[in-house]
């Protein structure tokens, strides 16, 4: 991930990642990133621009950065993405992103009256204006919805908002903010998060032909493949890095701006062996070792991996003392998926297999886990 700046024009009440005094990434740093990545790894690379608000960098930055990275890293077949609130989207920027087939990730927390309570007055209208510009220029846009202690009570309204607008739903639980005097004010409690996931599983199955809930898809893939399919449920160290505005390298975008989590600088062209000597790398691996011991009796350890290391160790100042605090929610939804799947499989007819894989049959009655899995396979 590239973090052009930690600055952001919005003022979401639960935010933990913005910094109004943040510098802006220079094109020289982009050149150094390309030079570092060129020989760092032989695998295909995906570069996501994140923030803060990455559109603050402006069209000139993206016109030059996308050209340079595409050219210098052509042997790695780079693909690109961006996560933005869309406030600063213009036709010029949209056309630049369209030229490189950059998908857009944005954030909206439901209907205007719910969204603006927790993201600030005016957020909804500005984001939807940018969304329309992006779509008019052929860009693919998906939204993340953050559920907070307050908004989870409006889960039905939020679900219907995404359905009525034809949006796929990807959700995040609000985390305790590391900034401010009341870190738990907006944070979603683990038990509430677990209940929310099961509620959304039921709503997904009730609306299987028209809905898409990305989290449920990812969780179900994890159960079927017995390995985590998103970074929250995977040992991400060594596969994912974030580069801050000044060229500092971090284990994840969530750590950017926290000096104690700097692993190196792109200007120094560190190898993986060099990064492995950093305190941050060692702490991430200490978390992996902690999970191996602490969770060894858990039936979900292979595809949960203790959840997100940031959630677990950033609030403790870097002490490895526990797994992700959302562990009860993860266990709740993984138990539910496994239980429902086992009930469907025992005594059921064999899956109708044809050339090219499973054929979706016309359902009789309520959809189940296997119906969802067949939908995912066929799309």
């Amino acid at each position: 991930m590239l973090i052009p700046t930690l600055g952001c024009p919005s003022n979401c009440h639960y935010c933990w990642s913005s910094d109004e005094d943040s510098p802006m990434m220079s094109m020289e740093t982009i050149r150094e990133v390309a030079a570092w990545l060129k020989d760092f790894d032989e695998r295909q690379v995906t570069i996501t621009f994140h923030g803060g608000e990455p559109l603050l960098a402006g069209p000139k930055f993206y016109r030059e950065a996308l050209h340079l990275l595409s050219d210098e890293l052509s042997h790695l077949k780079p693909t690109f993405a961006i996560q933005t609130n869309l406030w600063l989207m213009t036709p010029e920027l949209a056309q630049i992103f369209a030229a490189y087939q950059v998908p857009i990730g944005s954030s909206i927390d439901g209907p205007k009256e719910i969204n603006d309570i927790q993201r600030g007055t005016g957020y909804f209208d500005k984001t939807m204006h940018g969304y329309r510009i992006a779509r008019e220029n052929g860009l693919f846009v998906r939204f993340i919805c953050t559920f907070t202690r307050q908004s989870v009570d409006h889960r039905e309204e939020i679900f219907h908002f995404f359905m009525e607008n034809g949006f796929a739903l990807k959700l995040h639980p609000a985390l305790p903010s590391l900034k401010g005097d009341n870190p738990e004010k907006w944070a979603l409690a683990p038990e509430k998060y677990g209940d929310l996931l099961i509620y959304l599983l039921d709503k997904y199955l009730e609306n299987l032909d028209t809905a898409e809930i990305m989290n449920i898809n990812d969780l179900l893939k994890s159960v079927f493949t017995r390995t985590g399919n998103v970074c929250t449920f995977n040992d991400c160290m060594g596969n994912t890095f974030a580069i801050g505005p000044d060229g500092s390298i971090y284990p994840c975008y969530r750590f950017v701006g926290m000096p104690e989590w700097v692993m190196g600088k792109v200007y120094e062209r560190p190898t993986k062996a060099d990064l492995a000597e950093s305190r941050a790398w060692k702490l991430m691996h200490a978390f992996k070792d902690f999970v191996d011991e602490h969770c060894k009796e858990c039936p979900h350890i292979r595809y949960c991996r203790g959840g997100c290391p940031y959630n677990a160790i950033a609030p403790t100042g870097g002490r490895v003392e526990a797994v992700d605090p959302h562990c009860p929610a993860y266990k709740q939804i993984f138990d539910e998926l496994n239980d429902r799947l086992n009930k469907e499989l025992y005594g059921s007819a064999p899956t109708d297999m044809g050339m090219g894989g499973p054929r979706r049959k016309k359902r009789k009655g309520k959809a189940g886990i296997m119906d969802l899995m067949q939908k995912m396979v066929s799309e």
Side-chain angles (χ1 to χ4, degrees), residues 298-300 304 326-336:
C298 178
H300 311 302
C304 176
H326 284 124
C327 170
Y330 305 149
K331 185 176 188 301
Q332 190 174 350
I333 187 62
F334 281 134
D335 282 347
E336 189 74 16

Side-chain angles (χ1 to χ4, degrees), residues 5 218 328:
T5 180
D218 291 331

